[in-house]
Amino acid sequence: MNNNNRGRYPPGIDVGRGGGVNTNSNFQSRTPQQQQQQQYVQRNYVHNHQQFQQQQHNQQQQQHHPHNQQQHYHNQQQLHHQQQQQWLRRGQLPGADAVVDEVEKTVQSEAVDPSSQDWKASLKIPPADTRYRTEDVTATKGNEFEDYFLKRELLMGIYEKGFERPSPIQEESIPIALTGSDILARAKNGTGKTAAFCIPALEKIDLENNVIQVVILVPTRELALQTSQVCKELGKHLKIQVMVTTGGTGLKDDIMRLYQPVHLLVGTPGRILDLAKKGICILKDCSMLVMDEADKLLSPEFQPSIEQLIRFLPASRQILMFSATFPVTVKDFKDRYLQKPYVINLMDELTLKGITQFYAFVEERQKVHCLNTLFSKLQINQSIIFCNSVNRVELLAKKITELGYSCFYIHAKMLQDHRNRVFHDFRNGACRNLVCTDLFTRGIDIQAVNVVINFDFPKNSETYLHRVGRSGRFGHLGLAVNLITYEDRFNLYRIEQELGTEIKQIPPHINQEIYCR
């Protein structure tokens, strides 16, 4: 898909800020540099020459000091000659073309838009987030979003969303995605993965072309709604048409919506495949496929749908895969479908740095009492409590309400409208505690959650990692408390070994500093 021979590292990556390579896929190269440089020299020469003639005319009007006037005229002529020589010499210096090109671009852009310096001043930027952040999101190379030559309207959306600088995963993936390369990216939960693919996707969409150009696949309906919302917010100044489609909702509404222009489609694999097979969702012009939570999308539940869906895309499509865990299925898929992918791995350790993990040994019948104690002792902003079955979710939610605490619950057997309402209300802070199954472990980003409680301990390390990743979002601090029965003790040890982490016994008093800063 990418025919140009640009280097792997666009501006701001390993070659200093704002290097000479332009990664914007919409950027059109100009006339040959020599010709353009000559144009600039001539334009400069004409401008100076006109100024010079005007000054000469003024001097002729003043005859009071002929000797001084002659000297002044001689100096002006020398200065004019030096300027001309300077521009000609600069044209011969290495890298001068880039300088001239940069000046030329500035001159042109300011001529077109006199308010080019004022656009940031008019932005509605939310208050800065002053909470403590860990190096999962602060260990960056120092790039700015402007280093990637993004459209101004997209930059406006980025800043108004409250993003200040790219996080490490965004620094790695945005410039590479803009060059058209396939990407396989592994980064921790809550470090900015969604924006890492939404920003290049929005940048590469051609508004003039009313076809589906980007498809973002996610494993759950809630994650689809959240991702489409991020796309809409980042692209609100771009007039890009974003559509979300998931199972569990009427097909008729989706069919009607697809008769209108759609540039970016977010959804679950089964529903998009269904629409593609019916010939309603046309994907022959879709140049980018994004797979978020790729490990889940390549589980037996979804993989057949994904492989069928890829057949509807053009051969030259770009595929971006993002996840926190990469099992064998992901490697196998990469070898079959990705063309010379750029691999990003920011997972030197699996658990999030800002999350403190504890366990409490309890008998099954003591669990609710233990939970009550936690509620009374912990400084909970919002908490998510995980159970291993739908039945237990409903029973526990009822118990928590009886204890006098506000509580919602959500699981896969609820009607979609009800699920959406619970998710939306919890996210907006209508309730402090949410009880749920593993449906809610993937990608769900609720910044206010600072405590995760495993009321039932998970069976494997992957589920554990995704569960505790619901707290400590975007490098903030969080707390994970695991209620462990006699039967769970071997699982606890195994998960500690597999993740290379330490889950300590819960102390009588937990210092608020470790999860509330």
Side-chain angles (χ1 to χ4, degrees):
M1 177 164 186
N2 183 26
N3 299 325
N4 53 17
N5 296 319
R6 287 183 286 204
R8 264 293 192 203
Y9 292 97
I13 295 198
D14 291 345
V15 290
R17 292 264 304 277
V21 185
N22 192 321
T23 58
N24 189 330
S25 60
N26 296 322
F27 181 81
Q28 300 294 321
S29 60
R30 299 181 203 277
T31 51
Q33 290 165 336
Q34 302 254 307
Q35 185 186 338
Q36 183 248 310
Q37 174 200 332
Q38 191 57 39
Q39 280 177 342
Y40 192 90
V41 172
Q42 281 176 348
R43 185 194 301 183
N44 198 59
Y45 175 84
V46 170
H47 177 67
N48 283 344
H49 194 62
Q50 283 170 344
Q51 270 188 337
F52 166 62
Q53 280 185 330
Q54 182 63 40
Q55 285 168 351
Q56 194 178 6
H57 177 70
N58 292 346
Q59 284 161 7
Q60 281 170 354
Q61 305 299 312
Q62 302 166 344
Q63 295 299 325
H64 304 302
H65 301 288
H67 176 70
N68 289 356
Q69 291 295 325
Q70 205 172 356
Q71 184 64 38
H72 184 66
Y73 172 82
H74 181 68
N75 290 349
Q76 284 281 26
Q77 205 168 20
Q78 260 190 329
L79 180 67
H80 170 64
H81 183 68
Q82 279 172 354
Q83 278 182 333
Q84 191 182 343
Q85 287 303 314
Q86 199 178 1
W87 274 112
L88 288 166
R89 272 204 309 279
R90 190 177 295 182
Q92 290 152 16
L93 291 174
D97 291 338
V99 175
V100 174
D101 194 43
E102 209 50 46
V103 173
E104 182 87 347
K105 275 197 289 184
T106 310
V107 168
Q108 286 190 355
S109 68
E110 288 184 1
V112 172
D113 183 4
S115 66
S116 60
Q117 301 308 312
D118 309 334
W119 66 275
K120 273 192 183 177
S122 63
L123 295 180
K124 298 181 183 71
I125 294 175
D129 187 341
T130 55
R131 289 179 293 170
Y132 174 80
R133 288 180 181 178
T134 66
E135 62 193 67
D136 278 336
V137 295
T138 58
T140 66
K141 296 173 184 170
N143 289 173
E144 305 281 345
F145 284 112
E146 286 166 77
D147 293 341
Y148 306 130
F149 299 100
L150 303 170
K151 295 175 189 134
R152 181 180 299 171
E153 293 80 5
L154 179 53
L155 284 171
M156 288 162 76
I158 290 169
Y159 292 132
E160 287 188 347
K161 185 94 171 76
F163 296 175
E164 293 158 11
R165 284 182 191 81
S167 70
I169 182 64
Q170 290 161 9
E171 278 190 327
E172 290 290 335
S173 59
I174 291 172
I176 302 300
L178 290 172
T179 66
S181 299
D182 287 354
I183 290 179
L184 180 65
R186 184 178 183 191
K188 297 177 190 177
N189 296 303
T191 56
K193 289 202 297 282
T194 304
F197 56 76
C198 286
I199 289 170
L202 292 166
E203 173 64 32
K204 294 184 85 171
I205 286 172
D206 175 10
L207 278 173
E208 303 295 310
N209 196 5
N210 283 333
V211 294
I212 297 170
Q213 297 168 49
V214 176
V215 169
I216 300 176
L217 294 177
V218 294
T220 68
R221 298 163 191 176
E222 285 72 23
L223 187 50
L225 292 170
Q226 179 180 286
T227 305
S228 69
Q229 190 57 32
V230 171
C231 289
K232 284 174 187 169
E233 287 169 7
L234 289 173
K236 66 181 178 184
H237 297 286
L238 280 167
K239 299 184 173 62
I240 283 173
Q241 296 298 319
V242 178
M243 174 180 166
V244 61
T245 177
T246 63
T249 56
L251 202 61
K252 193 173 88 177
D253 293 341
D254 285 353
I255 292 169
M256 296 304 290
R257 176 67 186 86
L258 281 164
Y259 282 123
Q260 308 298 315
V262 174
H263 299 114
L264 189 154
L265 182 62
V266 184
T268 47
R271 172 53 69 92
I272 295 180
L273 178 62
D274 197 16
L275 291 165
K277 281 180 170 174
K278 284 181 164 61
I280 296 148
C281 176
I282 310 296
L283 300 176
K284 65 180 175 59
D285 298 299
C286 176
S287 56
M288 184 188 284
L289 175 70
V290 178
M291 295 168 62
D292 190 18
E293 303 293 345
D295 55 342
K296 177 70 173 168
L297 287 173
L298 293 175
S299 65
E301 181 189 352
F302 292 115
Q303 186 161 356
S305 301
I306 300 233
E307 294 189 352
Q308 286 182 61
L309 196 56
I310 286 178
R311 294 186 197 129
F312 287 93
L313 301 176
S316 59
R317 84 263 147 166
Q318 176 184 11
I319 298 179
L320 312 182
M321 295 171 70
F322 287 80
S323 189
T325 52
F326 273 167
V328 179
T329 50
V330 173
K331 188 182 178 307
D332 177 52
F333 183 89
K334 176 200 81 162
D335 294 342
R336 282 191 295 146
Y337 291 102
L338 272 62
Q339 295 155 14
K340 295 183 183 167
Y342 185 87
V343 179
I344 298 165
N345 186 3
L346 301 180
M347 298 281 285
D348 49 341
E349 57 200 307
L350 286 168
T351 44
L352 288 155
K353 286 193 173 72
I355 296 177
T356 306
Q357 304 162 83
F358 292 121
Y359 72 84
F361 253 136
V362 291
E363 289 181 36
E364 184 63 47
R365 61 192 173 82
Q366 297 172 316
K367 278 186 176 181
V368 174
H369 175 70
C370 182
L371 190 63
N372 193 17
T373 310
L374 288 173
F375 281 162
S376 63
K377 289 195 169 185
L378 294 177
Q379 186 66 41
I380 294 175
N381 194 3
Q382 275 189 304
S383 80
I384 297 180
I385 302 148
F386 286 102
C387 295
N388 288 350
S389 77
V390 167
N391 197 26
R392 285 172 70 80
V393 163
E394 295 195 2
L395 289 169
L396 180 59
K398 189 165 177 282
K399 283 274 190 216
I400 291 171
T401 309
E402 285 168 5
L403 289 170
Y405 297 101
S406 67
C407 175
F408 286 163
Y409 69 87
I410 192 168
H411 57 69
K413 292 191 177 163
M414 287 162 61
L415 288 171
Q416 187 60 40
D417 277 354
H418 189 186
R419 263 166 64 172
N420 293 353
R421 194 162 59 249
V422 170
F423 174 54
H424 180 268
D425 289 351
F426 181 67
R427 184 173 202 156
N428 289 343
C431 177
R432 196 178 288 279
N433 307 295
L434 178 71
V435 184
C436 61
T437 55
D438 289 320
L439 160 83
F440 216 66
T441 57
R442 289 193 170 263
I444 297 302
D445 178 34
I446 296 172
Q447 293 278 336
V449 173
N450 67 335
V451 175
V452 165
I453 298 170
N454 280 320
F455 188 82
D456 294 336
F457 196 66
K459 299 284 185 280
N460 61 61
S461 54
E462 196 176 315
T463 304
Y464 179 82
L465 180 64
H466 281 288
R467 280 187 185 184
V468 300
R470 295 314 100 212
S471 73
R473 302 297 294 177
F474 208 72
H476 300 306
L477 301 177
L479 185 68
V481 180
N482 302 287
L483 305 187
I484 302 292
T485 63
Y486 186 74
E487 289 78 24
D488 293 323
R489 67 194 191 285
F490 294 119
N491 266 351
L492 174 69
Y493 176 74
R494 184 172 51 80
I495 285 172
E496 272 190 305
Q497 298 303 306
E498 285 179 14
L499 294 180
T501 190
E502 185 184 8
I503 305 173
K504 298 174 184 163
Q505 186 156 12
I506 196 163
H509 175 74
I510 298 173
N511 182 358
Q512 283 186 24
E513 284 285 299
I514 65 174
Y515 66 102
C516 286
R517 244 191 297 172

